[in-house]
């Protein structure tokens, strides 16, 4: 199993550009989530999903869209990038709620200039 | 309002000592409390987790203590080693129809000196 795969690993965007951060998991996990990590702020939940077609907003959803058309994929879209979205983004997946916990990808470092 | 408060922000412990990290939460609907460990340049990895109906859970050198009435929980690392130097996050999980929302504390950077 590859686990949770995030692409790209690094990205530089200009203000106003749009892009999609890709996340794929091959563990047949139902739950998937997106987080952003900023210095001193911990990990903040952006969006999450329990399966295809079902998503919900987390703590900091503004400026981001998600959709879940398959169990494996959970892309995160930045509609119009802003410098405030400069961050490290993590995707995570979990088989089910419980003590198994979430498995995290290795992250995408995004810089918006 | 920060739902999960973590302290201290940083911690320096001598090799062989005990590292203690504390967290507090507000929402009594949280039903699962994991701790994650993160090394620089890596994603967080699950370390240990507990449900609120259990007061303590131990896995090797790592122990979670949980106080439901006080809405507090803590991570104890016994016999701390230089390899334990990392950032530790507590978290709390809330389940709904869309899945589980995992809310994190701001993290504690642990340095174990040899």
């Amino acid at each position: 199993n590859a686990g949770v795969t995030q692409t790209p690993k690094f990205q530089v965007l200009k203000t106003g550009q749009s892009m999609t951060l890709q996340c794929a998991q091959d563990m047949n996990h139902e739950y998937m989530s997106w987080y952003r990590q900023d210095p001193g702020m911990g990990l903040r939940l952006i969006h999450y999903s329990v399966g295809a077609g079902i998503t919900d907003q987390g703590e900091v959803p503004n400026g981001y869209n998600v959709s879940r058309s398959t169990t494996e994929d959970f892309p995160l879209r930045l509609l119009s990038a802003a410098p405030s979205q400069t961050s490290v983004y993590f995707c995570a997946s979990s088989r089910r709620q419980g003590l198994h916990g979430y498995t995290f990808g290795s992250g995408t470092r995004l810089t918006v200039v | 309002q920060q739902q999960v408060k973590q302290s201290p922000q940083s911690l320096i412990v001598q090799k062989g000592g005990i590292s203690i990290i504390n967290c507090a939460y507000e929402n009594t609907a949280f039903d699962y409390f994991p701790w994650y460990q993160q090394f620089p340049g890596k994603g967080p990895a699950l370390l240990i987790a507990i449900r609120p109906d259990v007061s303590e859970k131990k896995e090797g050198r790592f122990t979670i203590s949980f106080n439901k009435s006080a809405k507090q929980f803590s991570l104890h690392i016994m016999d701390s080693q230089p390899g334990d130097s990392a950032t530790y996050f507590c978290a709390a999980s809330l389940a709904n129809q869309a899945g589980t929302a995992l809310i994190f504390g701001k993290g504690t950077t642990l340095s174990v000196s040899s």
Side-chain angles (χ1 to χ4, degrees):
Chain A
N1 288 348
V4 178
T5 302
Q6 292 185 237
T7 56
K9 293 189 181 303
F10 301 94
Q11 183 71 48
V12 178
L13 284 180
K14 292 183 179 180
T15 297
Q17 286 185 318
S18 62
M19 79 159 295
T20 299
L21 278 62
Q22 302 292 343
C23 176
Q25 52 91 9
D26 61 356
M27 298 172 284
N28 201 31
H29 284 175
E30 292 180 327
Y31 299 131
M32 296 187 75
S33 300
W34 276 102
Y35 293 86
R36 60 177 288 173
Q37 184 173 26
D38 303 290
M41 297 298 293
L43 293 110
R44 291 181 292 172
L45 180 64
I46 304 172
H47 287 284
Y48 60 107
S49 168
V50 72
I54 305 173
T55 65
D56 202 355
Q57 297 179 349
E59 300 169 278
V60 288
N62 292 341
Y64 307 96
N65 272 1
V66 293
S67 60
R68 185 110 178 258
S69 56
T70 68
T71 299
E72 296 77 20
D73 301 297
F74 192 40
L76 179 71
R77 299 181 187 85
L78 279 70
L79 308 175
S80 177
S84 61
Q85 294 179 304
T86 294
S87 186
V88 179
Y89 291 85
F90 288 101
C91 179
S93 73
S94 173
R95 183 166 71 227
R96 62 180 181 270
Q97 182 186 5
L99 298 184
H100 302 284
Y102 272 84
T103 299
F104 281 76
S106 58
T108 294
R109 183 173 294 274
L110 175 68
T111 302
V112 183
V113 297
Chain B
Q1 181 182 3
Q2 188 181 356
Q3 295 196 58
V4 179
K5 295 183 179 180
Q6 182 172 347
S7 63
Q9 185 175 356
S10 62
L11 183 61
I12 300 174
V13 174
Q14 285 195 334
K15 179 181 177 181
I18 302 173
S19 303
I20 301 174
I21 304 171
N22 301 299
C23 283
Y25 64 96
E26 292 296 325
N27 192 340
T28 56
F30 287 137
D31 60 358
Y32 166 62
F33 300 87
W35 285 88
Y36 284 81
Q37 180 188 56
Q38 185 181 31
F39 293 104
K42 304 292 186 182
L46 180 67
L47 190 62
I48 188 173
I50 197 168
R51 287 209 180 276
D53 54 350
V54 177
S55 60
E56 184 175 282
K57 182 175 182 181
K58 183 177 181 179
E59 290 184 359
R61 296 184 294 109
F62 301 92
T63 299
I64 299 178
S65 297
F66 191 88
N67 186 331
K68 188 174 181 179
S69 61
K71 294 188 284 187
Q72 296 175 347
F73 58 111
S74 60
L75 175 70
H76 295 232
I77 306 174
M78 310 300 288
D79 188 26
S80 298
Q81 298 297 312
D84 297 330
S85 297
T87 300
Y88 293 80
F89 294 96
C90 63
S93 177
L94 189 63
N96 62 23
Q97 291 181 338
T100 57
L102 198 57
I103 307 301
F104 284 83
K106 291 188 175 182
T108 296
T109 301
L110 171 65
S111 296
V112 181
S113 60
S114 54

